[in-house]
Amino acid sequence: MAEKDTKKVIKELQRRINRYIRLTLKDIKVEAKEEFDRNFQRQAFFNEKWKRRRYVRDETRGILQQSGTLRKSIRAEIIEGNKGVAFTSSVPYARIHNEGGTITVTRRMKGYFWIKYKEAVKGMGYTLKGELRRNKKNRELSSDTEFYRAMALKKVGSKIVIPRRQFIGAHPDLEKLLLEIARENVKEVFND
């Protein structure tokens, strides 16, 4: 009789452990993703501020937030077999922004920036005297043209340094959150 009871207890314990793992991974997936999303609002990796841009094209736009594509691309998935949670992005430039690095200037890049420069200049408004109008659109375009011109004038083979602006990864604040999730789930699953 005791062996049967032991098997029952072990089976019940295994069921609770599996439930604890599923629940904890689900909570980590949601909470950590929300924290990574908040990094874009904070313009920092938790409390580590991101480096400001050299060419500020739009004062109202946050860092890494031109279109919102990078922010929206962050996905959280529970790894098969409940082995953990993986955070990914389908955007090709996500890694270089998260980790920092260098880009080598190519002829194709220079050509692209010359085209963007010409488009920006063409869109500017002029007065009848041939002077630039002093309006909001021209101010925005003039900062764009500065940036595009500077990029187009870089030498082929030169390096562009992309500073590290981490938005996903391990951090002590995140570890505290994960510990709190684990403790709450232990109480929920094992204290009944």
Side-chain angles (χ1 to χ4, degrees):
M1 189 75 174
E3 188 178 325
K4 194 174 188 181
D5 289 340
T6 305
K7 284 183 180 181
K8 229 180 195 180
V9 169
I10 290 172
K11 190 173 183 179
E12 175 61 19
L13 183 60
Q14 188 61 51
R15 187 187 66 74
R16 286 183 185 216
I17 290 170
N18 290 342
R19 180 171 173 245
Y20 168 77
I21 291 170
R22 280 192 312 275
L23 183 63
T24 302
L25 290 176
K26 184 178 146 219
D27 289 349
I28 288 171
K29 176 182 170 183
V30 171
E31 294 295 326
K33 187 173 184 317
E34 285 178 10
E35 282 299 318
F36 294 150
D37 189 61
R38 281 190 203 109
N39 286 332
F40 288 90
Q41 291 172 326
R42 294 185 276 249
Q43 296 188 39
F45 184 60
F46 295 91
N47 58 352
E48 301 163 17
K49 291 284 183 195
W50 290 340
K51 186 174 182 192
R52 306 301 304 167
R53 291 185 300 270
R54 180 184 269 170
Y55 294 95
V56 180
R57 290 183 262 177
D58 180 2
E59 294 287 340
T60 62
R61 180 174 66 89
I63 300 170
L64 299 183
Q65 295 184 38
Q66 185 169 355
S67 65
T69 303
L70 178 61
R71 185 178 186 174
K72 292 174 200 165
S73 74
I74 299 170
R75 298 283 177 253
E77 298 172 9
I78 295 175
I79 299 169
E80 193 175 327
N82 290 331
K83 294 180 180 173
V85 180
F87 293 90
T88 60
S89 172
S90 58
V91 176
Y93 50 84
R95 170 174 264 157
I96 197 157
H97 282 300
N98 197 52
E99 298 171 4
T102 58
I103 299 172
T104 304
V105 176
T106 64
R107 287 187 199 288
R108 186 173 177 177
M109 285 171 64
K110 286 175 59 82
Y112 169 80
F113 284 113
W114 275 122
I115 290 168
K116 295 298 280 181
Y117 171 75
K118 288 174 185 174
E119 286 174 2
V121 169
K122 192 183 289 184
M124 297 178 108
Y126 292 89
T127 64
L128 292 174
K129 293 180 182 178
E131 299 169 353
L132 278 176
R133 292 178 193 251
R134 293 183 182 171
N135 58 21
K136 183 179 177 184
K137 182 180 177 190
N138 274 0
R139 282 191 297 276
E140 288 173 7
L141 286 173
S142 67
S143 62
D144 282 350
T145 55
E146 280 179 50
F147 172 74
Y148 295 140
R149 185 173 180 273
M151 296 302 289
L153 290 173
K154 287 195 169 284
K155 292 182 179 178
V156 172
S158 64
K159 305 286 183 193
I160 300 170
V161 176
I162 305 293
R164 180 178 186 211
R165 293 184 179 116
Q166 189 172 5
F167 50 90
I168 294 177
H171 189 273
D173 291 352
L174 181 63
E175 290 174 17
K176 287 177 191 172
L177 175 70
L178 300 181
L179 241 137
E180 189 179 312
I181 289 169
R183 286 184 183 131
E184 289 298 315
N185 289 343
V186 163
K187 289 177 190 173
E188 184 178 326
V189 173
F190 294 102
N191 288 350
D192 57 353

